[in-house]
Amino acid sequence: MGSSSNTNTSGGGSDKDDKKEDKGKGKDSAEPSFKEGDRVLAYHGPLLYEAKVQRIENLDDAWRYFVHYLGWNKNWDEWVANDRLLNLTDENVRKQQELEKNQVVDKSIKSGRSTQHKLKGSNEAKADKDDTKSLVKGKKRKSQPGTEDKERRSSESLLVSQFPLTLKKQLVDDWEYVTQMGKLVKLPRSPTVDEILKKYLEHRAKKDSKINDSYAEILKGLRCYFDKALPAMLLYKKERDQYNEEVKGDVSPSTVYGAEHLLRLFVKLPELLAFVNMEEDALNKLQQKLLDILKFLQKNQSTFFVTVYDGNRKGADGSKSK
C-alpha cells in the first residue's frame, strides 16, 4: 500500500493538533478527532490499512467511527475507537510500511508456525449485501427472517478469520493499480484460473494418495462459479472494456484470467456461502477445503500473481492509462 495524494503533510499546528496528528489515543474530547469522509489509516490486528470514515457517533461520551477499508469488500466495514485510527500522513504511511515489513520478517523467522492474526468481525457492522443477494437469489429482495443470522454466519466464516495477510495486501495493491493508477492485468494470464485449479488438484494428489472425488467436484464448481461471477461482481469499472475484448463467444473467463481475479472471488465467497442451504458441519468442511486452496495460492504467490500491471491501454472513457 502506498501513500495517498490526499496525504496531510502540513505542520505548525497547536499542541492539540500535534497530538491528534499522531494518534487518536487518549481521552476523547468534546469534538471528534476525525470527521465523515476523512481518509485515515486504521489498525486491524498488527497492521495498518487505508480506510475512509463513513459515519461517526458519540457513545457514552466516547467517539467511535464506522470505517470502510479501501479496496476491501464491505463485509469488513466496522466501528472502531479513536485508538485504532491515525491521520493519513507521510510519517504514518512510513509506519504502515514498516509494520508490513516487520510482519514479513516475523513470519520468516517463525516458519512452520502460523502468525496470521484473526480478523475480528464487528457485530455492529452491517454490510450492504444487496448486490450479492441479487447474484445469489436472482433479484434484489428485502430483509427476510433469518437474514441477520446469515450475515453473522458470513462474518464468522473461516475464510474471513483466516484470510492470509500477504494475500490481503495483494488485494489492496491490485485495487490501487486498477482503480487509482488506471493499470490493468495483461490478458490472457499465465497461469490461468483453469491451470491454477488443475495444479492444485495435482498438488493434493501428491500430498494425499487417497484423495477423493470431493476435491475434484469442488474445483469444478469453483471454476464454474468463477466464470459466472466474474462479469457480475469481480470486475472494476475500468476493466469492462478489456473483458469485452478478451472474452467472446464460447471463451470461458477461467481460461483468460488468472490468480488476481480468482483471489477477488475468495473475498466474496463468505457472504455468498452464508446464503447456501447447507448443514453447518458440511459448510465448515467445504470452507476448510476452500481455505486450503487459498493457502496454495499464498504458497505460490510469487509465481501465480503478476508484479507489473499493464498501463498502456485505453480506459472506459477513451483516455490512455498512465
Side-chain angles (χ1 to χ4, degrees), residues 164-181:
L165 284 172
T166 56
L167 293 184
K168 287 173 61 179
K169 186 178 185 304
Q170 183 80 44
L171 281 164
V172 174
D173 289 344
D174 176 56
W175 172 83
E176 287 189 342
Y177 274 122
V178 179
T179 67
Q180 305 301 300
M181 301 169 66

Side-chain angles (χ1 to χ4, degrees), residues 75 121 123 149-161 280 284 287:
N75 195 44
N123 290 329
D149 290 338
K150 290 173 180 177
E151 290 181 355
R152 185 177 69 250
R153 187 179 177 186
S154 170
S155 69
E156 294 171 353
S157 163
L158 291 174
L159 290 172
V160 170
S161 65
E280 201 70 29
N284 285 336
Q287 287 188 89

